[in-house]
Amino acid sequence: WVLGTVWWLYSYITTWWSGVLIGKCVIHGTSRGAGCSYPEMMAEAFGAPGYAFTAAMQILTYYLVNVYLLVAVADWFLLSQDVLVVQGVSASWCLCDYLVVSGVIAAILAQIRTFKRVLPFAAVSLASTALRQGIMYYQIGSYSLMSECEPKFGGVTAHSAVISLSTTAFLFGGHGLFPEEIREMRRPESYFGALHASYVIIGAVYATNAYVGYAVWGQWTAADIQTNWPLNNATLVSAVLSIVWGLVEMAMSHVMMLSLVESHLGLGRPGGRRGGALRVLARTAVVVSEVFFAFMFSAAGLGNLEGVVAAFGFTALTYYAPFAAYWKLFLRPRQAALGVQLCYGAVCLSGVLLTLAGLYASLAGGGRD
């Protein structure tokens, strides 16, 4: 209870403020004629090395996110199948079959090129999150789990603590898309209000899910809490909603990742029918490669995959890069108080340490699994 709360508060406060810093850095850069992408924001602070580092981290991070999401969506297809089998429906597809199905749908959605076009799907994703939250409470209430179960608490190890912090970082991993989303806003200044509103929603959803789930299942709480539920119609609905959510998240990450790749390959410029065909083939090929790696890593476990993705890239794009950029663009030129600069440095260093510890723990856990 205590350590989890500390981890959660650290991530919540740190990532909220890093989101604010991203907005300030992007708007500062555009006022000086710099671009609005995350790599361009970092280039404004650290030059070409900053651009190269951030572009590589964006592409690799969200590529791995999509690999994880493909595995997760395939697992949710399997969960849906398990419910149907209990109800007497004959079905025997395996994880590999559902990875292919997920990949086909993801390849179609990967052709969406702007956040504006994916926005309606994002609304569906938010609705699915709210509905799944309600289903969890329904499951708990319908089966009197609070009175019938006797969960055990504690049992925290150094490995589980680091994995927990890494997976918590995964929950706050959207920052790598923020500059590109600001670029498409008619009024970039409204980004800050949207960020604050989002964090109110995030705080309410995460807190009411995590604390209630842990109170009911304790050490039995699975990486995907839906697998703690009975195989009933409510679980089926939740699994289907999770599939929708996962596919939408992949579509959003593909918007940023593939646009960045295309800009460097010259596929983002108008090129007639041939250029459009090449773009479709290139985007589809990327999704096919993601499906391939999803096959390879599907046995590692969702918790370990989350930890690897979060520790590798989300910590960079969320926990320490924004603080470093803000220090270089604002604090250092304005000769801010030494204590303030040291605080920013400490948060930046904590993100680097989380990267190293999280990668080690997640890779070690994946190897054992």
Side-chain angles (χ1 to χ4, degrees):
W1 289 103
V2 175
L3 191 57
T5 299
V6 171
W7 273 186
W8 193 83
L9 287 175
Y10 161 75
S11 294
Y12 187 83
I13 295 171
T14 301
T15 60
W16 166 70
W17 189 241
S18 71
V20 172
L21 299 183
I22 287 173
K24 290 183 176 182
C25 290
V26 169
I27 292 175
H28 169 78
T30 54
S31 68
R32 292 161 49 90
C36 291
S37 69
Y38 208 135
E40 288 168 327
M41 180 191 88
M42 295 302 291
E44 179 74 5
F46 299 104
Y51 184 98
F53 170 80
T54 310
M57 292 303 295
Q58 272 191 312
I59 293 171
L60 291 173
T61 297
Y62 286 97
Y63 185 91
L64 290 174
V65 167
N66 293 329
V67 171
Y68 159 77
L69 287 172
L70 282 167
V71 177
V73 169
D75 275 342
W76 292 325
F77 270 118
L78 278 178
L79 179 59
S80 302
Q81 177 177 284
D82 290 341
V83 176
L84 293 174
V85 168
V86 168
Q87 296 178 350
V89 177
S90 178
S92 58
W93 281 31
C94 66
L95 182 70
C96 295
D97 297 324
Y98 286 120
L99 279 174
V100 173
V101 172
S102 304
V104 170
I105 301 173
I108 295 172
L109 294 176
Q111 309 309 319
I112 300 174
R113 300 179 60 195
T114 65
F115 287 108
K116 184 179 296 185
R117 291 185 176 180
V118 85
L119 187 60
F121 296 102
V124 173
S125 175
L126 178 60
S128 75
T129 298
L131 289 171
R132 285 181 293 155
Q133 189 86 335
I135 290 172
M136 184 188 75
Y137 283 99
Y138 166 80
Q139 299 282 34
I140 294 172
S142 296
Y143 287 84
S144 302
L145 295 176
M146 289 292 289
S147 59
E148 295 180 6
C149 291
E150 296 182 2
K152 297 180 180 180
F153 304 103
V156 178
T157 64
H159 177 267
S160 67
V162 175
I163 288 289
S164 175
L165 184 53
S166 296
T167 53
T168 301
F170 188 93
L171 301 177
F172 298 95
H175 291 51
L177 306 175
F178 287 176
E180 285 75 11
E181 290 173 335
I182 294 173
R183 179 173 58 193
E184 294 190 22
M185 298 178 73
R186 283 179 291 182
R187 296 186 302 275
E189 295 78 11
S190 63
Y191 158 81
F192 297 102
L195 176 72
H196 301 328
S198 297
Y199 262 74
V200 171
I201 297 172
I202 287 171
V205 171
Y206 288 173
T208 54
N209 184 289
Y211 283 97
V212 173
Y214 188 62
V216 174
W217 288 285
Q219 293 182 11
W220 303 324
T221 307
D224 178 8
I225 201 169
Q226 294 172 115
T227 59
N228 286 107
W229 301 349
L231 297 176
N232 55 16
N233 286 329
T235 299
L236 175 61
V237 172
S238 183
V240 172
L241 291 171
S242 296
I243 291 168
V244 172
W245 175 87
L247 292 170
V248 171
E249 292 301 306
M250 276 190 278
M252 294 181 67
S253 63
H254 278 137
V255 169
M256 181 281 301
M257 183 187 77
L258 295 177
S259 296
L260 181 59
V261 173
E262 287 174 352
S263 68
H264 287 283
L265 296 179
L267 295 176
R269 296 186 294 271
R273 185 175 299 176
R274 182 181 178 185
L278 286 174
R279 187 184 304 115
V280 170
L281 288 175
R283 285 173 172 255
T284 303
V286 170
V287 177
V288 170
S289 70
E290 291 169 350
V291 173
F292 171 76
F293 284 107
F295 277 120
M296 291 184 61
F297 299 134
S298 58
L302 288 180
N304 291 316
L305 284 176
E306 277 185 346
V308 169
V309 174
F312 173 74
F314 285 162
T315 50
L317 300 172
T318 304
Y319 285 77
Y320 63 83
F323 287 89
Y326 188 79
W327 171 80
K328 184 67 181 297
L329 294 173
F330 289 89
L331 298 183
R332 185 182 178 189
R334 297 176 182 178
Q335 297 182 338
L338 179 61
V340 174
Q341 296 193 51
L342 289 175
C343 285
Y344 275 74
V347 176
C348 184
L349 179 60
S350 73
V352 175
L353 293 176
L354 176 57
T355 297
L356 299 175
L359 275 176
Y360 174 79
S362 300
L363 291 173
R368 286 197 300 269
D369 292 344

